[in-house]
Structure formats: C-alpha cells, structure tokens
Amino acid sequence: MCARTLSLSWIAIIAVALMLPCASPGDDAPAGENLVANPSIEEGAGDAPADWRFWGWAAEGLPRTSTGVWDREVARTGERSLKIVNPAASDVGTWTNRQGDGFIPVEPGQVYTASAWMMVEAVEPGQFTNFRVGFCQIDADGEITYLPADTRREIAPADGGFAEAGAWRRLAVAARAPAEATHLGMDIDLHGPGTAWIDDVAVTRGYDIAALGGEPPAAEITIARDPDLDPPSADAPLSVTFRVTNGLQARELTLECELLDYWFLS
C-alpha cells in the first residue's frame, strides 16, 4: 500500500494563484456607465426629486418625526442633494430609489457596485447609517416581487459608524444579481437624531475597487472534498478539489498535484 502527503499550505497558494484568472469577466472591471436615474439629485418638480422617495419610521408605539427634504442649499456636486432630518433618537429616515423608473435593470449573474456620498451633522456617538442593495422581479404588468433577504447586501456595521461630522464620505457595497433578478433597488438610512445629506449616487457593472476602499473582496478557501491519499500506485495523480468564496460568488477548483512525498506501508 502507498500513502502520500502534500502540504496544504502549498495547495492553498496554488489555489489562490489559479483563482485570479478564473474570475468572471466584469467582476473587477473599472467603473463604467452610471446606471442610476437622477444620480446627482438635480432633476425633479416642486419639492420632489425625480426617481427618489422618502419614508420615516420608528419603533412601534413611538411617533414618526423624521422628514426628507430635496435640499437646494447643500450639495457635493451640482446644486441639490437628498436630506434627512431626524429630531428624535427613535427616528430612522430612508431615501430609496424603489419607485417607478428609479429601479435599475440588471443582468442575472452580473456583479454591481452601488455607492453614495453622505455628510452628517449633529449626530451622536454610536449612531450609524445603513446602505443596502436588494433585488427584485418586475413583470410586464409592473408587479414587483422582492427576492429573499439572503440575496441583499449592505455595508458592514463598522463602515456605517460616523467618524466625522461636516465631511463627505463614500458608502459602497457590491452584490451579484441572482438568476431570477430583473431590477435592483437601494435604501440609504440615518438612524437616530441628526441631519444627513446624500449626493452623487452610482451603480456600475463590475466590482469597483476604488469605490470599495481599494481592496478586492477577501477570499476564503476550503477543501470541498477530501483528496485520495491512499492511491493504487505511487505515480497516480493526486486531485484536490477546493471551494473558493468571496461573498459575491462561490466556485470549485480541482487541482492535479504532482507527488511530493510518499512511503510504503506493509
């Protein structure tokens, strides 16, 4: 009988090296066309910005005092922005594109990066914002079916905390459209008292590394199936199958490995 050993650390290095050229086209493409309708919040009529709507909410039994404003005095670019005013600690104010033409058509399987710039004032320590991307199906009659929660993506809690008032900062998240998705929607929240402005919203195809802090998504590598370490002969190839995940996709890679060490058991 012949038994073999192969260093798993070397296997992991090989798997990472092979994983990079296996990425889908467009997964890490440079930022391209902005797919958002009214991204700089300049278009609208009266007090209503086009393709955006606001709602405020609070815990059950508490008054809802949050308000949304199409602001004409503060903007990162252009002359207007979306504004959230929360008087109470229980307030949550949300601007969303989930209405009419605000929904963004998507291609199933394609990765999208969504981002927005936010500035706050008069917020308290421990407050946070949230920025979510969700997918849905919209049929020919306009009927909307939202996909399960596990298809949504949102910024990590650490990225939602406020470090500095009075400065614009970018919020961003990447998500892959499920097979049944036809459209994408976004929600941008302020939780707790204070004021927030939102401007320059973008959705682009591919993983926008610049928008997401300059780093590709972290990969996790596991052995999907145990390799055969008890082959019929010493020169039989050793096949190892890995599962590689990075939060956007999961793939299996099978490596044919060269024999590094073996011994015979009587």
Side-chain angles (χ1 to χ4, degrees):
M1 179 185 298
C2 169
R4 300 177 292 184
T5 62
L6 183 59
S7 168
L8 292 184
S9 62
W10 278 105
I11 292 176
I13 292 171
I14 296 170
V16 171
L18 292 182
M19 178 183 64
L20 297 177
C22 292
S24 299
D27 283 0
D28 59 352
E33 176 191 2
N34 188 354
L35 305 176
V36 176
N38 196 17
S40 189
I41 328 297
E42 302 300 312
E43 301 171 11
D47 293 328
D51 303 306
W52 294 93
R53 69 170 178 169
F54 177 85
W55 71 76
W57 56 281
E60 185 176 357
L62 296 176
R64 301 181 180 185
T65 57
S66 180
T67 57
V69 178
W70 187 22
D71 197 311
R72 294 167 170 81
E73 298 180 358
V74 176
R76 180 176 177 269
T77 62
E79 298 178 351
R80 302 185 180 187
S81 65
L82 302 174
K83 183 179 181 180
I84 301 172
V85 181
N86 287 351
S90 58
D91 283 334
V92 179
T94 302
W95 279 103
T96 180
N97 73 327
R98 293 190 283 120
Q99 67 165 16
D101 292 337
F103 279 104
I104 298 169
V106 297
E107 301 173 18
Q110 172 69 52
V111 171
Y112 293 87
T113 299
S115 65
W117 290 83
M118 176 180 277
M119 182 173 67
V120 298
E121 72 174 22
V123 296
E124 298 177 355
Q127 283 183 241
F128 65 98
T129 186
N130 202 0
F131 183 37
R132 325 183 261 285
V133 168
F135 296 96
C136 64
Q137 290 178 327
I138 303 179
D139 64 20
D141 297 324
E143 185 74 21
I144 301 171
T145 302
Y146 289 101
L147 300 186
D150 61 6
T151 67
R152 303 171 194 159
R153 294 293 181 269
E154 59 188 21
I155 59 173
D159 296 330
F162 294 113
E164 180 182 2
W168 290 97
R169 64 176 186 139
R170 198 175 195 182
L171 310 173
V173 64
R176 183 179 295 277
E180 60 272 36
T182 63
H183 291 78
L184 173 154
M186 295 175 287
D187 298 328
I188 311 169
D189 306 332
L190 174 65
H191 294 247
T195 303
W197 291 267
I198 300 155
D199 203 355
D200 296 326
V201 185
V203 172
T204 56
R205 295 180 181 87
Y207 188 90
D208 185 346
I209 291 180
L212 291 154
E215 296 291 337
E220 178 181 348
I221 302 173
T222 57
I223 295 180
R225 290 187 289 276
D226 291 335
D228 181 10
L229 297 178
D230 186 15
S233 65
D235 58 355
L238 175 63
S239 295
V240 183
T241 301
F242 293 90
R243 184 173 178 82
V244 182
T245 60
N246 66 3
L248 296 175
Q249 62 179 327
R251 296 191 178 185
E252 288 194 358
L253 303 157
T254 299
L255 306 181
E256 293 287 338
C257 302
E258 180 182 354
L259 180 65
L260 298 182
D261 188 19
Y262 70 89
W263 67 92
F264 291 95
L265 300 177
S266 58

